[in-house]
Amino acid sequence: MKLEVLGTGCAKCKSLLENVKKAVELSGKEAEISKVEDIPSIMKYGVMSTPALVKDGKVLFSGKLATPEEIAGML
C-alpha cells in the first residue's frame, strides 16, 4: 500500500508523518510512506486543510492529527 502525508511542513504535518510510521508498525502491514509538501500536488487531491493522509490515492482524512492507533484502524 502507498501512504502519502500531505502537508507543507507545519508541526502537525511532521507529527502526522511520525504517527503514520508508528501506525504501519502497529498494523504489521507493509507500506511505502512519503511526504508531499508542494502545494500543486496537495491541491490535486482537493485537500483544503492540512495535514492530510492519502492511502492508495484516496484521501482518508484532512485537517486533523490522528493518533497511531486511529490510523492503524484505517489501514
Side-chain angles (χ1 to χ4, degrees):
M1 109 184 80
K2 182 178 179 181
L3 299 172
E4 297 172 281
V5 175
L6 310 181
T8 56
C10 66
K12 284 185 178 180
C13 301
K14 293 175 184 174
S15 294
L16 180 59
L17 179 61
E18 293 305 313
N19 288 354
V20 168
K21 291 176 182 177
K22 290 176 187 173
V24 169
E25 287 180 26
L26 286 172
S27 72
K29 297 179 181 178
E30 291 190 25
E32 174 188 329
I33 303 169
S34 63
K35 177 96 165 53
V36 178
E37 294 187 346
D38 68 290
I39 300 296
S41 295
I42 292 172
M43 295 302 291
K44 287 180 184 175
Y45 288 104
V47 170
M48 302 302 288
S49 181
T50 59
L53 179 61
V54 175
K55 175 185 173 188
D56 296 328
K58 181 181 176 186
V59 178
L60 296 180
F61 62 83
S62 67
K64 70 173 193 172
L65 178 60
T67 66
E69 292 78 13
E70 290 172 324
I71 297 166
M74 298 177 198
L75 302 181

